């Protein structure tokens, strides 16, 4: 979304004040959801969300919108299930349509080891409160008649884990539901105002330096996606984050009604149909870290070849657009949320290629932490201090699809 | 797309290589031994600019090489 939308909405825009209780850096999903929760759930409205570019210009405006909870470790499954539930209620809570649609997610397995991994995932999910079941190839075909069960002769479908709660939502509508909701409560959302430094009082962070002057703050939250290393460095904070590009593509429209989201653990790619009928696809992130948002022809080749093994009808469609975003990848594929060891500075990062689905629960938890000063149980395992404590939260369930 | 010049095999596409990570560089300001180890193992400079890193030519000569790359443009320098 862009200035066009900003002017269409009936909202009051503010120049930033000299001081706030809470300053949030980055108007992506996580920053805005935190602001919205602070204002609506905790009555904290003296809050600014400062955005370098236009609102939602980061990964929240670039992702493939998949929402799911079938992760690989109990802490993640519980967290993402909470987010999946909050997404279901978001339209009612904000009064904004986010084009939320529960479609179910089919995760195909093409080898015996793939089947073992999916079985383990299904059992783990059930035990932790997310619904995931193993199904046969025939059942998969019933859910998605376009599947080629022989996998083009090379990737036969041996079975699949099925996650009925898998869903999608319009990403820019999610951004604006939170932005609008927060602004109506008095939060200042300020576009085109990059944070270029952090104000310090000794070690403590006491505000931000922006393109339009200093702003003091009781607490600063960094919610800047792939640019987190730069912002953390302003407080001499070192992070285990690598910034990798992730690409996606859409085709022209296919007959509406393509059922579930389809992913494959071995082919490492996934597809869903958008509200306009376009087929929206993604794969794994670029292997080398980079801040360049260039997309590549190689990505188109790889994704197309793999997808056609699963869904041969795709060969008749045309690619309309491709794009990239830069993702904050953590070493254990789990988020990093909460205190940083630097007083006055909090972070929400490590959202990598999987953080859109996490926006409602991430925002809820970070707002609670800011309001109460206590880390909520749901995110206790995801603190930055886990690396020093040798408690990395390796989650294979993050990868493969987003 | 990124092309990498391998000392043995010449200029090859990035898909033939495995990224081996940036060369760890712990800031001089970190003197405490535990903090130093923590930084060495986990922390990343992750610069938006020129970085020195290791790559493995997995689908070629299967040797390691050191590369200087500008991460803001994704070009070898
Ligand atoms: C192609 C692609 C597909 C994806 N698919 C999925 C998916 O299907 N499902 C899923 O769950 N996740 C997916 N993701 C990941 C998801 O999009 C992100 O994890 C999520 O949007 C992160 O939200 P955020 O608010 O942390 O960051 P962002 O949305 O990136 O917001 C950060 C904001 O901070 C701003 N900023 C940066 N530096 C500064 C500064 N110094 N001062 C002020 N502002 C600053 C940026 O301009 C940006 O607007 C995908 C990502 C990509 C790129
Ligand atoms: Zn070589």
């Amino acid at each position: 979304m862009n200035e066009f939308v900003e002017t269409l909405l009936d909202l009051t825009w503010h120049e930033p004040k000299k001081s706030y209780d809470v300053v949030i850096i980055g108007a992506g999903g996580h920053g805005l959801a935190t602001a919205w929760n602070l204002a609506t759930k905790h009555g904290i409205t003296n809050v600014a969300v400062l955005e370098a570019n236009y609102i939602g210009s980061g990964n929240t405006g670039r992702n493939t919108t998949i929402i799911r909870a079938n992760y690989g470790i109990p802490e993640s499954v519980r967290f993402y299930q909470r987010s999946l539930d909050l997404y279901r209620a978001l339209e009612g809570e904000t009064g904004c349509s986010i084009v939320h649609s529960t479609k179910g997610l089919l995760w195909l397995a093409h080898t015996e080891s793939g089947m073992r991994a999916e079985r383990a995932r299904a059992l783990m999910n059930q035990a932790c409160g997310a619904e995931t079941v193993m199904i046969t190839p025939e059942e998969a075909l019933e859910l998605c008649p376009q599947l080629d069960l022989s996998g083009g002769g090379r990737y036969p479908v041996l079975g699949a884990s099925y996650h009925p709660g898998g869903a999608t939502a319009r990403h820019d509508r999610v951004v604006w539901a939170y932005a609008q909701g927060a602004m109506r409560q008095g939060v200042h959302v300020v576009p085109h105002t990059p944070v270029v430094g952090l104000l310090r009082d000794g070690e403590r962070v006491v505000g931000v330096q922006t393109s339009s002057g200093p702003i003091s703050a009781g607490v600063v939250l960094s919610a800047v996606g792939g640019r987190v290393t730069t912002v953390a460095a302003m407080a001499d904070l070192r992070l285990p984050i690598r910034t990798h590009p992730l690409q996606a593509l859409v085709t022209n429209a296919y007959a509406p009604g393509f059922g579930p989201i389809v992913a494959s653990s071995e082919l490492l790619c996934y597809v869903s149909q958008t509200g306009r009928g376009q087929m929206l696809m993604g794969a794994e992130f670029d292997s080398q870290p980079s801040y360049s948002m260039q997309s590549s022809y190689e990505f188109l080749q790889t994704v197309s070849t793999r997808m056609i093994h699963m869904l041969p009808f795709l060969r008749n469609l045309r690619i309309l657009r491709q794009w990239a975003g830069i993702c904050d990848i953590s070493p254990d594929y789990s988020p990093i949320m909460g205190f940083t060891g630097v007083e006055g500075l909090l972070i929400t990062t490590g959202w990598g290629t999987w953080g859109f689905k996490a926006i409602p629960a991430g925002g809820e938890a970070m707002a609670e932490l800011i309001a109460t000063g206590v880390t909520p149980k749901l995110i206790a395992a995801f603190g930055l201090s886990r690396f020093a404590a040798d408690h990395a939260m390796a989650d294979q369930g993050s990868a493969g699809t987003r | 797309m990124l092309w990498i010049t391998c000392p043995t095999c010449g200029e090859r596409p990035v898909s033939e290589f495995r990224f081996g990570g940036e060369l760890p560089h712990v800031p001089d300001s970190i003197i405490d031994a535990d903090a130093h180890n923590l930084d060495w193992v986990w922390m990343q400079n992750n610069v938006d600019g020129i970085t020195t890193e290791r790559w493995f030519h997995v689908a070629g000569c299967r040797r390691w090489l050191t590369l200087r790359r500008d991460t803001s443009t994704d070009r070898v320098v």
Side-chain angles (χ1 to χ4, degrees), chain A residues 29-30 51-52 59-60 63-64 66 195 353-357 402:
Chain A
H30 282 277
E51 166 57 45
N59 289 347
T60 309
N63 66 80
T64 48
I66 288 164
V195 167
T353 63
W354 51 87
F356 175 72
K357 65 180 73 61
R402 313 301 161 189

Side-chain angles (χ1 to χ4, degrees), chain A residues 229 238 243 288-289 291 298, chain B residues 15 39 45-46 69 71 74:
Chain A
T229 304
R238 306 261 302 156
T243 299
Q288 73 275 27
Y291 289 82
E298 199 200 16
Chain B
S15 49
D39 195 282
N45 292 306
N46 193 34
R69 191 169 58 91
T71 60
D74 202 13

Side-chain angles (χ1 to χ4, degrees), chain A residues 12-31:
Chain A
T12 318
W13 299 89
H14 300 270
E15 290 300 314
K17 297 191 297 183
K18 290 271 160 277
S19 159
Y20 292 92
D21 292 339
V22 183
V23 165
I24 297 172
I25 315 173
H30 282 277

Side-chain angles (χ1 to χ4, degrees), chain A residues 226-227 229-230 238-244 287-292 294 296 298 331 384 387-388 390 392, chain B residues 1-2 14-15 19 21 25-27 30 38-39 42-48 55 69 71-75:
Chain A
R227 304 231 156 246
T229 304
T230 317
R238 306 261 302 156
L239 293 176
I241 295 288
R242 273 188 344 207
T243 299
H244 287 265
S287 76
Q288 73 275 27
S290 168
Y291 289 82
S292 149
Q294 246 168 33
S296 67
E298 199 200 16
L384 176 60
F387 298 100
D390 210 10
Chain B
M1 188 188 36
L2 180 65
V14 63
S15 49
F19 178 67
H25 178 77
V26 183
I30 301 180
L38 175 69
D39 195 282
W42 291 111
M43 302 309 166
Q44 301 283 327
N45 292 306
N46 193 34
V47 294
D48 182 1
W55 287 81
R69 191 169 58 91
T71 60
S72 37
T73 54
D74 202 13
R75 294 265 151 71

Side-chain angles (χ1 to χ4, degrees), chain A residues 199-252:
Chain A
L199 308 178
R200 312 283 293 274
D201 177 5
E203 291 293 293
R204 200 189 153 85
V205 169
V206 294
V208 296
Q209 185 60 252
T210 74
S211 55
S212 47
I215 300 173
S216 65
V219 182
V220 174
L221 168 65
S222 162
V224 295
R227 304 231 156 246
V228 68
T229 304
T230 317
V231 170
M234 296 169 186
D236 304 314
L237 175 67
R238 306 261 302 156
L239 293 176
I241 295 288
R242 273 188 344 207
T243 299
H244 287 265
L246 176 69
Q247 306 188 40
L249 69 86
V250 281
T251 68
N252 59 344

